[in-house]
Amino acid sequence: MYEIVTIEDTVRIPPNKFDQPLEKTAAEILNKKYVGQIDKKLGILIIVTDILEHNQGQVVIGDGSAFYLVKFNALFFKPTLHELVDGEVIEIIEFGAFVRIGPLDGLVHVSQITDDYITYDVKRGALIAKESGKALDETDFVRARIVAVSMKGKTTQDTKIGLTMRQPGLGRFEWIQEEKMKNFKI
């Protein structure tokens, strides 16, 4: 789930940036500092969107930089349990598929792709259902449900997201469309 959150922080503006607009400079510095960082309550910071307000700023003796207390909006992404997500399959491996959902990747284990038995086709680099013939390849777009979230640490590499596509209305977009067409035949 995406959410915009208002945050306060102190920003150090170096002297060589004094001639530039404060809001633009503060946003650049905050983005360099926080983009990609994870907060367990808020999720992963995607971008600082707006500088809402700032104080007069203070110069520290011996530093030369100005320090401003700023209030800003930031866009966060936090995966939540049972949330439906759309994403692109970015990698197929023997035991599942990695799906890019926003700024993070989730894993759909082979047991969570369909109710059918799945085999890994090494030559094609795809996961194929034995009875139905459904195939999952890289670059396929899918809809999945988040079934596990672990956000330990401070970076995206420390985050693990488990996905399932076994429930009705989930899976490759083409599978979902085929399922809808079957249900609407008269």
Side-chain angles (χ1 to χ4, degrees), residues 81 105-109 145-150 160-164:
L81 281 178
D105 300 336
L107 173 67
V108 183
H109 189 268
R145 182 178 305 279
I146 297 174
V147 292
V149 177
S150 173
K160 307 250 186 291
I161 301 171
L163 303 170
T164 187

Side-chain angles (χ1 to χ4, degrees), residues 108-160:
V108 183
H109 189 268
V110 289
S111 66
Q112 295 299 310
I113 293 173
T114 69
D115 291 332
D116 207 343
Y117 180 76
I118 301 285
T119 58
Y120 178 60
D121 183 338
V122 179
K123 288 183 182 179
R124 183 172 158 190
L127 295 169
I128 301 171
K130 192 170 190 170
E131 290 178 28
S132 66
K134 292 179 178 178
L136 191 63
D137 294 282
E138 285 184 19
T139 72
D140 283 344
F141 286 92
V142 298
R143 178 164 294 143
R145 182 178 305 279
I146 297 174
V147 292
V149 177
S150 173
M151 295 182 77
K152 297 178 181 171
K154 298 237 180 236
T155 65
T156 57
Q157 290 81 10
D158 303 325
T159 300
K160 307 250 186 291

Side-chain angles (χ1 to χ4, degrees), residues 27-43:
E28 287 174 5
I29 291 169
L30 288 166
N31 277 317
K32 283 180 185 172
K33 182 176 178 181
Y34 290 121
V35 166
Q37 295 296 310
I38 293 176
D39 180 279
K40 289 186 190 221
K41 291 179 184 171
L42 300 173

Side-chain angles (χ1 to χ4, degrees), residues 17-142:
K17 302 274 187 177
F18 286 171
D19 62 337
Q20 297 175 10
L22 177 64
E23 287 81 7
K24 180 179 180 252
T25 303
E28 287 174 5
I29 291 169
L30 288 166
N31 277 317
K32 283 180 185 172
K33 182 176 178 181
Y34 290 121
V35 166
Q37 295 296 310
I38 293 176
D39 180 279
K40 289 186 190 221
K41 291 179 184 171
L42 300 173
I44 180 172
L45 192 139
I46 307 297
I47 190 168
V48 172
T49 59
D50 301 302
I51 302 297
L52 302 174
E53 56 186 71
H54 56 82
N55 68 353
Q56 183 65 33
Q58 308 223 343
V59 176
V60 176
I61 297 173
D63 186 336
S65 297
F67 291 82
Y68 293 87
L69 180 63
V70 297
K71 187 183 282 189
F72 60 94
N73 281 340
L75 177 65
F76 283 87
F77 175 75
K78 183 174 184 184
T80 56
L81 281 178
H82 311 297
E83 177 181 7
L84 290 178
V85 292
D86 292 343
E88 180 181 6
V89 177
I90 58 165
E91 184 179 3
I92 300 284
I93 50 180
E94 192 171 345
F95 59 86
F98 285 100
V99 177
R100 172 92 12 104
I101 52 171
L104 300 172
D105 300 336
L107 173 67
V108 183
H109 189 268
V110 289
S111 66
Q112 295 299 310
I113 293 173
T114 69
D115 291 332
D116 207 343
Y117 180 76
I118 301 285
T119 58
Y120 178 60
D121 183 338
V122 179
K123 288 183 182 179
R124 183 172 158 190
L127 295 169
I128 301 171
K130 192 170 190 170
E131 290 178 28
S132 66
K134 292 179 178 178
L136 191 63
D137 294 282
E138 285 184 19
T139 72
D140 283 344
F141 286 92
V142 298

